[in-house]
């Protein structure tokens, strides 16, 4: 039986569009692709930040770029120079529009909007997916939807954040420095901080972020966010131009890919996110680039590659320490960013740590609690 497509991508979000836009660039060599996306249109709904290391992709889409970042608490402030690997931020609408322009130009790709995938099955080596009251078929599916979660696969910590973009009547922000973490007092079992990206002296994304054992809703974060807005803009008049809220699971159990290579799951919760930081945008870009090479070589697309054992172990110890000793969180991050070679911490957070980065990081951390957690790790 002839298939309708060579590839069906379920979900046209970050992972789905990242792959499709690269395939679109292949012109006539592009496989026949269907992208099936639930939303009816694309609006700005998230902001992706990352360090622009050498391997970073799509950096031309960045709205802003900071060569200094701040990590601090009430009595301590560390300003890190990251001139060589600036911290950057991409507005999702810039990404969506850039991807869609490429995709719409290539007639070999069909994007079905407003279609929520429900029923699908495999018959004679072809996947059949029900859309618009008919079935479309392809030998391989890339599923980017968040997987169904059971209570057994709870993460070690949740990163909950709620933010607003504000436009102020007069300049209040230092747009040369992005605030990565400015810790505020929290309850005894969570780490709270301000994350602030100043796009200009009058515009910024101000975000209330909590690392905790429970996912927090927008309303649970509202009071904290209000306080942080007031603290950041003082008495200056402002208007809110955009809102975002999300919860990233950090330290899910080891992601185990399915056994059928014709059905591949990718994205944030399918091995896409770096466990200890939740950073995923650049990891998705690297996966998409690898997927295109696989297709060019006539191979089926595979999922995200697994982190090395050392990185997985380090991530889980790091998160367990934060979970067990949240009151030490500010100290731990301030120590990390005070390291002489901040390249190590940037590579660690950005997903490219070398063994020597990991050793350097371990030596910068409070050894007592990390050794205790390391010992516990052997028995888990
Ligand atoms: C507000 C916000 C800020 C973030 N900030 C950062 C950041 O700074 N850095 C970073 O690295 N990461 C960040 N993330 C996390 C992560 O990068 C994003 O969540 C990213 O979009 C994940 O990509 P994805 O493809 O896995 O999921 P998505 O981009 O969410 O794509 C999944 C797609 O599947 C579609 N879908 C779902 N169900 C169906 C269905 N049944 N049928 C068809 N389609 C379906 C959805 O509509 C969606 O478009 C942020 C996330 C949010 C929400």
């Amino acid at each position: 039986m002839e298939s309708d497509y060579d590839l069906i991508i379920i979900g046209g979000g970050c992972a789905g569009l990242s792959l499709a836009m690269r395939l679109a660039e292949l012109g006539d060599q592009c496989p026949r692709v269907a992208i099936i996306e639930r939303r009816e249109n694309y609006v700005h709904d998230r902001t992706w930040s990352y360090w622009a290391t050498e391997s970073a992709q799509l950096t031309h889409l960045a709205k802003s770029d900071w060569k200094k970042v701040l990590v601090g608490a009430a009595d301590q402030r560390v300003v890190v120079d990251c001139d060589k690997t600036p911290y950057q931020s991409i507005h999702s609408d810039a990404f969506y529009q850039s991807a869609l322009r490429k995709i719409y130009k290539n007639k070999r790709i069909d994007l079905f909007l407003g279609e929520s995938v429900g029923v699908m099955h495999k018959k004679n080596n072809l996947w059949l997916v029900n859309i618009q009251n008919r079935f479309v078929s392809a030998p391989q599916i890339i599923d980017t939807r968040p997987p169904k979660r059971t209570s057994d696969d709870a993460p070690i910590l949740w990163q909950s954040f709620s933010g607003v973009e504000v436009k102020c009547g007069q300049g209040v922000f230092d747009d040369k420095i992005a605030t990565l973490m400015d810790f505020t007092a929290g309850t005894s079992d969570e780490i709270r901080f301000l994350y602030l990206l100043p796009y200009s002296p009058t515009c910024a994304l101000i975000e209330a972020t909590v690392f905790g054992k429970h996912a927090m809703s927008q309303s649970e974060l509202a009071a904290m966010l209000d306080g942080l807005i007031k603290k950041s803009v003082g008495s200056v008049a402002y208007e809110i131009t955009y809102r975002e809220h999300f919860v990233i699971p950090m330290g899910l159990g080891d992601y185990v890919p399915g056994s059928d290579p014709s059905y591949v799951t990718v994205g944030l919760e399918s091995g896409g996110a770096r466990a200890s930081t939740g950073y995923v945008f650049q990891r998705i870009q690297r996966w998409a680039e690898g997927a295109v090479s696989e297709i060019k070589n006539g191979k089926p697309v595979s999922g995200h590659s697994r982190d090395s054992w050392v990185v997985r172990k380090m991530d889980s110890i790091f998160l367990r320490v934060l979970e067990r000793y949240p009151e030490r969180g500010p100290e731990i991050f301030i120590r990390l960013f005070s390291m002489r070679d901040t390249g190590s911490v940037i590579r660690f957070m950005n997903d490219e740590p070398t063994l020597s980065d990991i050793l350097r990081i371990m030596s910068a951390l409070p050894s007592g609690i990390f050794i205790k957690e390391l010992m516990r790790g052997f028995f888990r």
Side-chain angles (χ1 to χ4, degrees):
M1 188 173 123
E2 170 82 6
S3 65
D4 301 311
Y5 295 98
D6 300 310
L7 191 65
I8 294 176
I9 300 174
I10 304 180
C14 182
L17 293 184
S18 296
L19 174 58
M21 68 193 249
R22 286 173 172 83
L23 292 175
E25 286 168 357
L26 300 178
D28 294 346
Q29 304 303 309
C30 175
R32 294 164 306 148
V33 180
I35 312 164
I36 307 173
E37 166 56 42
R38 186 171 57 182
R39 71 184 96 188
E40 301 204 327
N41 51 38
Y42 286 89
V43 292
H44 174 36
D45 60 356
R46 58 201 68 188
T47 313
W48 289 298
S49 302
Y50 55 87
W51 270 278
T53 53
E54 238 169 62
S55 65
Q57 300 184 31
L58 305 184
T59 52
H60 63 285
L61 295 177
K63 177 179 168 74
S64 299
D65 172 293
W66 298 272
K67 296 185 173 58
K68 287 183 197 301
V69 296
L70 180 147
V71 175
D75 49 350
Q76 265 178 301
R77 288 228 157 340
V78 182
V79 174
V80 178
D81 237 309
C82 50
D83 201 18
K84 293 198 186 95
T85 53
Y87 194 65
Q88 292 190 338
S89 182
I90 293 181
H91 265 194
S92 58
D93 50 355
F95 167 81
Y96 295 144
Q97 292 317 317
S98 159
L100 292 176
R101 268 195 301 276
K102 291 180 184 171
I103 288 165
Y104 284 136
K105 258 197 214 155
N106 195 317
K107 298 281 175 276
R108 295 177 67 78
I109 304 184
D110 290 329
L111 171 59
F112 297 93
L113 289 175
E115 288 289 340
S116 187
V117 170
V119 180
M120 59 183 172
H121 60 272
K122 196 175 177 185
K123 194 175 164 193
N124 301 334
N125 291 327
L126 285 186
W127 283 99
L128 298 163
V129 180
N130 187 226
I131 53 161
Q132 295 177 348
N133 298 323
R134 66 184 175 113
F135 280 94
V136 287
S137 60
Q140 192 179 28
I141 284 188
I142 308 293
D143 195 345
T144 73
R145 292 172 298 175
K148 291 208 171 62
R149 181 178 291 290
T150 65
S151 52
D152 295 342
D153 58 13
I156 301 174
L157 282 177
W158 292 94
Q159 180 182 155
S160 310
F161 53 91
S162 195
V164 289
E165 266 182 34
V166 295
K167 197 168 168 200
C168 298
Q170 64 188 73
V172 285
F173 305 113
D174 176 356
D175 62 351
K176 301 277 178 294
I177 305 181
T179 299
L180 278 195
M181 300 175 130
D182 190 359
F183 295 96
T184 60
T187 62
S188 57
D189 59 356
E190 61 192 24
I191 302 169
R192 293 180 163 230
F193 58 90
L194 160 74
Y195 175 76
L196 191 150
L197 300 181
Y199 300 126
S200 74
T202 53
C203 290
L205 173 70
I206 302 176
E207 212 142 79
T209 308
V210 177
F211 290 176
K213 288 178 190 154
H214 309 285
M216 292 176 78
S217 66
Q218 194 161 8
S219 58
E220 285 172 295
L221 289 166
M224 177 182 170
L225 179 60
D226 276 352
L228 292 175
I229 298 172
K230 285 198 187 89
K231 186 177 154 198
S232 308
V233 307
S235 57
V236 169
Y238 66 89
E239 63 168 308
I240 292 177
T241 52
Y242 162 78
R243 283 182 187 275
E244 68 176 34
H245 167 262
F246 197 51
V247 181
I248 297 182
M250 300 201 304
L252 289 167
D254 254 1
Y255 176 71
V256 184
S259 55
D260 180 353
S262 72
Y263 179 83
V264 173
T265 52
V266 295
L268 176 69
E269 295 188 39
S270 302
R274 178 69 198 290
S276 63
T277 62
Y279 280 106
V280 55
F281 183 76
Q282 288 297 343
R283 282 167 74 100
I284 285 178
Q285 302 316 314
R286 284 197 284 279
W287 161 78
E289 201 175 55
V292 173
S293 300
E294 288 171 326
I295 288 174
K296 278 186 180 164
N297 291 321
K299 293 187 182 152
V301 172
S302 18
H304 296 282
S305 41
R306 253 174 131 201
D307 288 315
S308 68
W309 181 86
V310 180
V311 169
R312 280 184 280 137
K313 210 67 199 159
M314 179 67 188
D315 276 353
S316 98
I317 291 170
F318 189 75
L319 287 174
R320 292 271 173 216
V321 166
L322 294 180
E323 179 211 12
R324 215 175 283 275
Y325 308 97
E327 72 289 354
R328 306 279 302 263
E331 174 201 347
I332 289 170
F333 283 102
I334 288 172
R335 273 184 185 232
L336 274 181
F337 281 93
S338 306
M339 280 168 56
R340 202 144 30 100
D341 179 7
T342 42
S344 291
V345 67
I346 287 173
R347 284 189 293 274
F348 174 69
M349 303 206 94
N350 218 36
D351 184 35
E352 304 154 291
T354 60
L355 191 57
S356 67
D357 290 332
I358 289 180
L359 293 174
R360 260 185 229 126
I361 282 166
M362 285 171 76
S363 67
L365 293 168
S367 52
I369 51 177
F370 274 85
I371 288 169
K372 252 195 223 163
E373 203 46 52
L374 188 67
M375 302 308 284
R376 276 200 191 100
F378 278 116
F379 301 105
R380 237 190 323 258

